Amino acid sequence: MPDHLLTFELAKDGDELLIHADAAGLRYLAAALTRLAQHAEAGRKEHIHLMTKDWSGDELSSVAQDSEASLLHQVTIHGWPKGGARNDVA
């Protein structure tokens, strides 16, 4: 289990993503996003996987914080160079 709280949960209606985090979890997420931004600024497409221990990771907490929501065990975040993914498709 990570030493921070960071969960991504899907609201009961499926239309809302809930992110729960403590200060350390927010810092972890901010650092991961900063690394992706640096790759994108350098013209490289990159991605990261955040996973719970149940899915062989240690980036996300394994306990849902909202009893009405579904815990997501893996979150993949893609960072694209300027122009985005749609400009990369032939």
Side-chain angles (χ1 to χ4, degrees):
M1 178 170 224
D3 60 351
H4 57 261
L5 170 66
L6 179 59
T7 67
F8 288 76
E9 302 172 30
L10 195 56
K12 187 177 182 178
D13 63 10
D15 289 333
E16 183 179 5
L17 174 66
L18 308 170
I19 301 173
H20 297 271
D22 61 10
L26 290 169
R27 285 188 192 96
Y28 179 88
L29 182 57
L33 293 173
T34 297
R35 285 190 302 275
L36 279 177
Q38 291 168 341
H39 286 290
E41 288 171 341
R44 296 186 304 271
K45 182 218 179 275
E46 229 7 280
H47 70 279
I48 57 171
H49 298 282
L50 306 175
M51 294 180 280
T52 63
K53 183 178 181 181
D54 299 339
W55 281 41
S56 300
D58 65 353
E59 302 84 12
L60 298 178
S61 306
S62 295
V63 178
Q65 301 301 300
D66 185 329
S67 62
E68 300 270 318
S70 299
L71 183 71
L72 298 176
H73 289 281
Q74 179 172 320
V75 174
T76 303
I77 304 172
H78 296 269
W80 293 89
K82 191 172 183 172
R86 294 195 181 266
N87 290 339
D88 197 40
V89 178

